[in-house]
């Protein structure tokens, strides 16, 4: 019995001994921690300053990338329509915001894939092969995005922002600045998204009205109509393949 207790005591003290040895070794040989130095100094080479400015601009563009993705792609229309769909069905948080954003993001990648392939072929790959300069690559990269935005923007919205910017009347689309096209494109996308959202609301409102009329005729005044109409709206949406209709309509609306 004493032999067992003695071994158990040694087994319990073993971690403590190892800890003391580890602390002793750490004090004996301190661990070297890497340090980083960042400073601003003078340079006799203008190229060094140019590279620094380019890195700063690149970091700025990366920080603005989510905003650029929302402003210059199909993301705005898709996420607004899907939000209208969830509200019209009355399912509260189903699907959740994360699912709506993820679906909108991947649909945006799907719709914008031809535009991005054109940018890759005409701007990035020649610049990577050092066939064109960085300025030429930027000019070529902007053109497909401008063409996409102009194809989805109403002339009335373009005229509005051209007049607000107090610019001379442009002769053609090439004379319109990109900073003028972007807000015009966004309000056009919001207008189209609200039109699609109105059409989505109509069948669900009809279901709500029918259910409310039936409940009133049966004398069930205290029963909330939404509680009864929600399963019927979900059933109707599933039977007509609602997700397929909404997604296909959204994708074809950019054609």
């Amino acid at each position: 019995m004493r032999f067992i207790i003695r071994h158990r005591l040694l087994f319990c003290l073993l971690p403590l001994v190892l800890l003391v040895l580890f602390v002793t070794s750490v004090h004996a040989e301190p661990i070297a921690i890497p340090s980083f130095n960042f400073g601003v100094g003078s340079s006799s080479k203008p190229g060094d300053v140019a590279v620094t400015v380019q890195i700063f601009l690149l970091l700025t563009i990366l920080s603005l990338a989510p905003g650029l993705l929302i402003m210059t792609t199909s993301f705005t229309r898709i996420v607004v329509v899907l939000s209208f769909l969830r509200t019209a069905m009355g399912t509260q948080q189903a699907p959740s915001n994360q699912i709506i954003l993820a679906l909108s993001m991947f649909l945006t990648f799907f719709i914008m894939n031809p535009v991005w392939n054109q940018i890759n072929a005409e701007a990035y790959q020649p610049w990577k092969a050092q066939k064109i300069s960085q300025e030429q690559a930027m000019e070529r990269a902007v053109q497909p995005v401008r063409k996409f935005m102009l194809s989805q923007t109403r002339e009335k919205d373009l005229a509005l922002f051209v007049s607000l910017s107090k610019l001379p009347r442009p002769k053609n689309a090439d004379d319109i600045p990109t900073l003028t096209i972007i807000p015009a494109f966004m309000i056009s996308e919001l207008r189209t998204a609200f039109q699609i959202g109105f059409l989505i609301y109509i069948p669900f409102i009809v279901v709500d009205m029918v259910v409310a009329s039936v409940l009133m005729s049966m004398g069930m005044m205290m029963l909330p109509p939404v509680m009864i109409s929600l399963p019927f709206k979900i059933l109707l949406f599933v039977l007509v393949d609602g997700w397929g209709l909404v997604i296909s309509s959204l994708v074809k609306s950019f054609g």
Side-chain angles (χ1 to χ4, degrees), residues 40-44:
V40 178
S42 59
S43 176
S44 59

Side-chain angles (χ1 to χ4, degrees), residues 11-12 30 35 87 93 123 132 144-145 150 152 167 169 182 228-229:
F11 182 76
C12 293
S35 61
T87 306
Q93 294 298 323
I132 59 176
V145 179
L150 287 171
Q152 304 298 326
L167 294 173
R169 184 179 181 86
I182 291 176
I228 306 300
S229 64

Side-chain angles (χ1 to χ4, degrees), residues 34-221:
S35 61
F36 299 93
N37 296 323
F38 179 79
V40 178
S42 59
S43 176
S44 59
K45 299 180 180 179
D48 296 340
V49 181
V51 172
T52 304
V53 173
Q54 290 177 4
I55 294 174
F56 176 75
L57 292 176
L58 178 61
L59 293 176
T60 304
I61 293 174
L62 290 178
S63 64
L64 297 176
L68 293 174
L69 180 65
I70 293 174
M71 292 186 295
T72 60
T73 63
S74 58
F75 183 83
T76 301
R77 183 188 304 185
I78 296 172
V79 74
V80 172
V81 169
L82 293 181
S83 299
F84 270 124
L85 174 61
R86 183 178 65 181
T87 306
M89 292 182 64
T91 53
Q92 302 298 327
Q93 294 298 323
S96 63
N97 292 330
Q98 291 83 356
I99 295 177
I100 289 180
L101 290 175
L103 181 58
S104 302
M105 186 70 67
F106 282 103
L107 285 176
T108 301
F109 292 157
F110 178 78
I111 294 171
M112 299 299 296
N113 187 54
V115 178
W116 292 339
N117 286 338
Q118 185 178 355
I119 294 174
N120 179 63
E122 298 180 0
Y124 178 71
Q125 293 299 333
W127 174 75
K128 185 179 179 182
Q130 298 182 354
K131 296 180 179 179
I132 59 176
S133 63
Q134 185 174 357
E135 291 77 11
Q136 292 175 331
M138 291 296 294
E139 292 177 359
R140 292 188 181 184
V142 170
Q143 293 305 318
V145 179
R146 285 172 54 92
K147 183 178 178 181
F148 171 79
M149 290 191 294
L150 287 171
S151 66
Q152 304 298 326
T153 305
R154 297 190 307 159
E155 293 183 2
K156 185 177 180 180
D157 297 330
L158 274 176
L160 171 63
F161 281 95
V162 168
S163 63
L164 291 176
S165 61
K166 298 180 180 180
L167 294 173
R169 184 179 181 86
K171 298 179 181 179
N172 49 42
D174 297 333
D175 295 336
I176 304 176
T178 304
L179 293 179
T180 304
I181 298 176
I182 291 176
F185 167 74
M186 290 193 67
I187 64 172
S188 295
E189 287 293 282
L190 289 174
R191 183 178 184 274
T192 305
F194 274 67
Q195 290 176 342
I196 299 175
F198 171 76
L199 297 177
I200 289 175
Y201 255 96
I202 293 177
F204 296 113
I205 291 177
V206 171
V207 173
D208 287 332
M209 293 176 62
V210 170
V211 171
S213 300
V214 172
L215 291 178
M216 289 182 64
S217 63
M218 296 176 63
M220 299 180 180
M221 308 294 295

Side-chain angles (χ1 to χ4, degrees), residues 222-254:
M222 302 302 294
L223 184 63
V226 178
M227 184 180 299
I228 306 300
S229 64
L230 179 59
F232 288 100
K233 289 191 288 187
I234 295 175
L235 179 62
L236 173 65
F237 191 71
V238 172
L239 289 178
V240 300
D241 191 19
W243 287 112
L245 291 175
V246 172
I247 299 303
S248 63
S249 300
L250 277 172
V251 174
K252 293 177 180 177
S253 66
F254 290 96

